Amino acid sequence: MLSSASGSSTGGQLRRITLPVYSSISLHASAGERSKLAGDSDYMAKHPGKVYLVGAGPGDPGLLTLRGREVLERAEAVFYDYLANPLLLEHATDEAELVCLGQHGKGRVLAQEEINRQVIAAAQDGKQVVRLKGGDPSVFARTGEEITALEAAGIAYEVVPGVTAALAASAYAGVPLTHRDYASCVALITGQECRDKTGSALDLAGLASFPGTLVFYMGVTTAPTWAAELMKHGKPAATPVAIVRHCSLAEQRTIETTLGEVPEVLAPRNLRPPAIIVVGEAVAARTASEWFTSRPLFGQTVLVTRPEEQAKSLVRKLQQLGATTKLQPAIEITPVADWSAVDTAIENLATCDWLVFSSANGVRFFLNRILQLDYDLRSLAHCRLAAIGPATAETLAEYHLRVDLQPETYRAEALAEQLAPQAAGQRCLLLRASRGREVLAETLSAASADVEQLVVYESRDVAQPRPEVAEALAAGHFDWLTVTSSAIARSLVNMFGDDLRNTKLAAISPLSAGVLEAAGYPPTVVAEEYTTEGLVRGIVG
Ligand code: SAH
């Protein structure tokens, strides 16, 4: 399920989360090709398990490599760290076993030896295993130990790199690591080596005179120690420092300070990991604006309420503008239980003059049915096509069909008005949902058209929202809630009632807005153009 957006590290709604106790699962229960071959005793010899150590990147799910996605798509078991964005697990199949090795905010929950044991057990069971690690698997990720254990057990492996946090901070927060004038080299340093105030495994004296940028990973809690040591060994207190927290996520925040002030800045604000701390003159050359956080919807959380299969493009548009999105469909779309009326209409298409589509769903369900019945698009050869708006027309275009009529405003009234003058005596087939407005049928019938309404899909209210969505709305965690049809508006009123006052409502059209207003929840914006683009423009303001 598409449930959360680029931004959130914590918002992923996951399927099949297994607690971190891995018991070997029978060969017969595993996925994909393997299940076909289950029972073939030679199979494991021919297809031994393999472990892929994959870099998940710093948080933004778009930063996974293509190779990483490819191995995730065919993984049979995925062991993932808490720093890996759970949204990446969407790339895995429904059959893949997902094993969480730590909780957000709590870090690792299994000892390294236990992780090694479980990963090896899965591979010995013949599985394709992905070990998904935050950032890059080779940077402070104990990959060396895992590889040693794999080699000792004779398990084949591959390593797939990822974007490490230091490079993400440079790209997403504009903190330069190298600079022609100030820094010709970079050191990646773990702050965990200087826990002990009396001594440190790190050569901080050496690092104090390192002629480039110092990047501290896991350095928040130990900052007082390493900052003091660096200064003691001559690093100027005025050395510029940037602290980037939750880099590449909706929570990203950057604090600029100096080495002398690092302990003070970190302590009172109680800044929690994960944060990357960049120390060096290059930091002063930081760009004035942050492209990432200055996107128009950065930091805003939007609840999208369209049916799941229709939500993708709206979700993508919002995310591209920096929003974090959550999906809670207010209605669900399903095929009709009985196709006989549709099938009869398809058989008689030769007698039909106009096919009138009032939604993209209508196009899909009707045309897919034609193709399923082994007809092809020639069965539409005698029909003219009307579409209510651009999304419907675009869906027809996916089937290589061009519309003959599309109104200028994307409403049933406008479509009916424009079609009416040509409709007298014409057979008009209206492809529609199981519920909806009658205005098209009424207007065309009044214009002496021969109208047949054909239900090509069911539209039903979703009875209950997911509890976490209801709680988040009640707590005022959503900045916006999108209302993309009047049916959705009605369902939302039933679903959430007065909690709709805890967010700004964005309605796609005056019709949807009217439903909300009538229920006592006037929207903050109504799209000027009744499309999802228009809606997003309204939200951006
Ligand atoms: N292998 C990882 C590092 C793991 S160590 C990588 O290559 O990035 C964990 C540390 O990485 C955190 O304590 C923090 O310092 C840093 N880190 C990881 N993700 C981060 C993020 N999104 N923003 C800031 N720092 C991050």
Side-chain angles (χ1 to χ4, degrees):
M1 159 182 290
L2 181 75
S3 61
S4 179
S6 73
S8 174
S9 54
T10 53
Q13 245 271 320
L14 296 180
R15 17 175 198 103
R16 303 165 280 108
I17 297 300
T18 315
L19 287 171
V21 179
Y22 182 78
S23 57
S24 56
I25 293 162
S26 97
L27 186 63
H28 300 268
S30 60
E33 187 197 13
R34 282 256 322 272
S35 61
K36 286 186 218 129
L37 293 160
D40 177 350
S41 57
D42 287 342
Y43 184 82
M44 272 171 56
K46 287 188 208 142
H47 297 85
K50 186 163 182 177
V51 176
Y52 297 85
L53 297 135
V54 178
D60 180 342
L63 293 184
L64 181 71
T65 63
L66 292 176
R67 177 69 179 147
R69 186 176 75 185
E70 187 188 332
V71 296
L72 260 178
E73 280 168 354
R74 49 189 180 76
E76 291 161 295
V78 182
F79 291 82
Y80 62 100
D81 280 350
Y82 77 102
L83 272 178
N85 191 327
L87 288 177
L88 293 177
L89 302 172
E90 297 288 340
H91 294 301
T93 64
D94 284 343
E95 288 79 30
E97 191 75 8
L98 305 179
V99 184
C100 176
L101 298 176
Q103 280 172 299
H104 197 79
K106 294 196 181 148
R108 188 179 288 241
V109 293
L110 285 189
Q112 185 63 52
E113 295 67 35
E114 183 56 18
I115 295 174
N116 295 350
R117 196 194 65 72
Q118 294 192 13
V119 168
I120 288 169
Q124 281 171 338
D125 206 16
K127 290 190 192 317
Q128 300 299 302
V129 180
V130 165
R131 173 78 179 89
L132 193 59
K133 287 165 168 280
D136 179 84
S138 308
V139 179
F140 307 132
R142 305 187 73 171
T143 288
E145 289 163 63
E146 292 186 25
I147 289 177
T148 305
L150 292 171
E151 285 177 343
I155 306 281
Y157 67 88
E158 283 183 29
V159 182
V160 182
V163 176
T164 189
L167 297 185
S170 155
Y172 279 67
V175 180
L177 303 185
T178 63
H179 191 282
R180 192 179 164 74
D181 300 325
Y182 310 117
S184 307
C185 51
V186 182
L188 305 186
I189 305 158
T190 166
Q192 288 304 302
E193 289 294 310
C194 42
R195 279 212 169 282
D196 177 11
K197 287 206 169 57
T198 55
S200 161
L202 266 183
D203 178 8
L204 286 160
L207 286 172
S209 54
F210 181 76
T213 306
L214 307 178
V215 186
F216 285 90
Y217 287 67
M218 299 172 277
V220 172
T221 51
T222 56
T225 312
W226 56 255
E229 286 288 309
L230 287 177
M231 287 186 286
K232 193 173 111 191
H233 293 100
K235 190 100 182 150
T239 308
V241 170
I243 304 164
V244 188
R245 183 166 187 255
H246 282 309
C247 184
S248 82
L249 293 165
E251 303 89 347
Q252 176 173 313
R253 193 167 149 229
T254 307
I255 301 170
E256 281 188 66
T257 182
T258 59
L259 185 58
E261 283 171 2
V262 160
E264 202 183 312
V265 167
L266 289 180
R269 296 197 200 182
N270 201 15
L271 188 138
R272 301 292 311 142
I276 200 94
I277 305 168
V278 186
V279 182
E281 294 304 328
V283 172
R286 192 174 166 219
T287 45
S289 65
E290 267 187 29
W291 65 266
F292 183 63
T293 54
S294 57
R295 290 172 305 161
L297 296 180
F298 180 80
Q300 308 234 359
T301 305
V302 184
L303 184 63
V304 173
T305 58
R306 304 195 100 182
E308 196 166 335
E309 42 304 321
Q310 279 177 284
K312 263 198 179 132
S313 81
L314 176 57
V315 163
R316 204 172 306 123
K317 283 177 198 124
L318 291 164
Q319 289 180 1
Q320 273 167 3
L321 294 167
T324 297
T325 58
K326 267 266 182 209
L327 182 66
Q328 172 58 66
I331 60 176
E332 60 183 8
I333 301 295
T334 54
V336 287
D338 177 3
W339 284 101
S340 51
V342 179
D343 293 353
T344 307
I346 290 173
E347 275 162 34
N348 297 323
L349 269 177
T351 65
C352 171
D353 300 301
W354 279 96
L355 290 176
V356 184
F357 294 96
S358 44
S359 70
N361 282 322
V363 173
R364 285 212 181 89
F365 280 103
F366 186 61
L367 291 174
N368 288 351
R369 186 67 187 170
I370 291 177
L371 301 176
Q372 262 169 16
L373 294 182
D374 266 347
Y375 292 101
D376 65 23
L377 294 180
R378 284 172 299 175
S379 41
L380 306 176
H382 306 291
C383 307
R384 277 181 291 165
L385 305 177
I388 195 165
T392 309
E394 273 161 31
T395 311
L396 282 162
E398 285 171 21
Y399 294 84
H400 306 286
L401 293 168
R402 200 173 300 170
V403 292
D404 300 290
L405 186 145
Q406 182 192 309
E408 273 175 19
T409 50
Y410 312 138
R411 311 161 59 218
E413 284 81 357
L415 177 58
E417 255 167 47
Q418 207 158 324
L419 191 52
Q422 327 177 31
Q426 300 270 296
R427 257 204 93 224
C428 298
L429 199 52
L430 314 190
L431 294 316
R432 55 170 293 169
S434 53
R435 59 182 178 176
R437 303 174 65 218
E438 298 301 325
V439 59
L440 253 179
E442 285 167 7
T443 314
L444 293 176
S445 298
S448 307
D450 171 9
V451 175
E452 184 186 348
Q453 300 211 66
L454 198 57
V455 172
V456 290
Y457 64 96
E458 301 278 344
S459 158
R460 263 187 241 106
D461 287 0
V462 170
Q464 292 289 334
R466 294 201 309 275
E468 73 274 15
V469 172
E471 277 163 31
L473 183 65
H477 290 170
F478 295 115
D479 298 282
W480 288 98
L481 186 154
T482 64
V483 185
T484 41
S485 75
S486 47
I488 288 176
R490 271 185 289 275
S491 176
L492 287 169
V493 169
N494 291 333
M495 204 181 231
F496 294 123
D498 276 354
D499 279 349
L500 290 176
R501 294 190 207 287
N502 298 338
T503 180
K504 288 178 278 188
L505 302 174
I508 199 166
S509 68
L511 201 67
S512 317
V515 174
L516 295 170
E517 259 156 36
Y521 311 112
T524 306
V525 298
V526 182
E528 278 176 18
E529 186 196 86
Y530 314 149
T531 59
T532 52
E533 286 83 4
L535 185 73
V536 172
R537 271 198 292 277
I539 290 175
V540 169

